[in-house]
Amino acid sequence: MKLLIILFITFILVLLGTKIFQGNWNFLFSGNLGMAVFIIFTGLSHFKFQKGMEMMIPDFIPAKMFWVYLRDSLKSLPELD
């Protein structure tokens, strides 16, 4: 829920900023920047709540924390996601 609030607040602030500084409503830029901030915070939360991410991996997969770190590291590279 917090991430959704971050998405909406970023979108609204950037939308108001484009109206003030450019004179028009730039919905595309505001939405893109809002999603970028949302994805960054989502990636950071994966590193912060590693234990919860580890519990989502099935028991038959060994070295769960390795896979959590590998997935989070690859997620931070947009061209590989």
Side-chain angles (χ1 to χ4, degrees):
M1 188 66 186
K2 292 178 186 177
L3 289 172
L4 189 60
I5 292 170
I6 289 172
L7 170 65
F8 287 133
I9 288 174
T10 304
F11 174 76
I12 291 169
L13 289 176
V14 173
L15 188 62
L16 291 173
T18 58
K19 177 64 174 170
I20 292 169
F21 293 111
Q22 293 180 349
N24 60 350
W25 302 101
N26 194 338
F27 290 98
L28 181 62
F29 176 71
S30 302
N32 287 341
L33 190 59
M35 283 303 297
V37 170
F38 175 80
I39 290 171
I40 289 169
F41 272 91
T42 302
L44 292 175
S45 69
H46 280 81
F47 282 107
K48 184 175 181 184
F49 304 110
Q50 299 163 353
K51 196 66 173 169
M53 297 299 142
E54 181 185 22
M55 293 186 326
M56 291 184 204
I57 299 175
D59 290 332
F60 63 86
I61 297 178
K64 293 180 182 183
M65 285 307 291
F66 167 76
W67 295 110
V68 170
Y69 283 127
L70 179 67
R71 167 72 171 110
D72 293 340
S73 299
L74 292 177
K75 185 81 172 159
S76 64
L77 301 172
E79 65 273 0
L80 296 178
D81 190 24

